[in-house]
Amino acid sequence: MDNVSVRDAREFLNLNVERPRMHLLDEPTGYISAMAKSNLGHQMRYSVDRLEAELAAGGEPRVLQLVCEGDEREPRSWTLYADGLKCAHGTGEFARACFCEAADALMGVCREAVRAAALPSRSAHDYELLRAARRIAAVEAERRATREKQNL
């Protein structure tokens, strides 16, 4: 190999595609915080949690649950449930594009999906029951995952 082909080969070994920078809804406060908060999965979950709090404060409480498939930090796809009913589904790339557009773009998409689902109104009691059921389901899922790890 002559010097020109070696230089060309060396320059082509480290090709990277720079993704557009995401706007973060949950802004990090330091280096460690940035490591935890700068991934797509965290920003998606934070957006849904914030939307749920916003809806409850606005007088139309909804229990929202986001299910991500694939890597926890970079989900392949996601599904949004409102009061246990599926109201939105999308890819991780769509969610990333939303965050590249604006920090609250995904939250806006989810808000519109919940409104379009035209769910019946819930009383405060029903809302609290659904929230408790979600917490119980999360604990059970965690126990199941722990048992599966122990059996491996």
Side-chain angles (χ1 to χ4, degrees):
M1 269 175 121
D2 63 349
N3 288 339
V4 173
S5 59
V6 170
R7 185 183 62 222
D8 290 344
R10 183 181 63 238
E11 289 174 3
F12 286 107
L13 291 178
N14 294 320
L15 294 177
N16 291 329
V17 173
E18 290 189 26
R19 289 184 175 178
R21 185 168 162 77
M22 284 191 343
H23 300 279
L24 305 179
L25 190 60
D26 187 13
E27 288 288 335
T29 56
Y31 179 74
I32 300 298
S33 174
M35 290 176 59
K37 294 180 177 181
S38 64
N39 67 70
L40 179 62
H42 172 78
Q43 291 296 321
M44 291 172 66
R45 286 186 299 278
Y46 182 78
S47 295
V48 169
D49 290 345
R50 194 159 147 194
L51 176 59
E52 182 176 336
E54 181 183 296
L55 291 173
E60 51 180 306
R62 298 282 175 226
V63 176
L64 304 180
Q65 185 175 6
L66 182 71
V67 177
C68 295
E69 296 176 16
D71 184 22
E72 186 176 307
R73 295 177 58 86
E74 289 291 325
R76 276 189 329 270
S77 63
W78 56 274
T79 306
L80 178 69
Y81 295 91
D83 294 344
L85 300 172
K86 181 178 177 179
C87 64
H89 180 76
T91 64
E93 287 302 315
F94 173 80
R96 178 171 290 285
C98 286
F99 282 107
C100 289
E101 179 184 315
D104 61 349
L106 183 71
M107 192 166 73
V109 167
C110 292
R111 181 184 299 109
E112 290 305 314
V114 170
R115 284 191 183 137
L119 301 167
S121 61
R122 302 268 180 227
S123 68
H125 180 261
D126 291 345
Y127 173 66
E128 291 303 323
L129 284 175
L130 285 171
R131 289 184 68 201
R134 180 180 59 191
R135 287 191 298 269
I136 291 169
V139 168
E140 279 302 309
E142 188 175 317
R143 284 184 187 166
R144 190 175 314 121
T146 303
R147 275 189 244 127
E148 288 175 4
K149 285 181 183 178
Q150 290 174 349
N151 290 336
L152 293 178

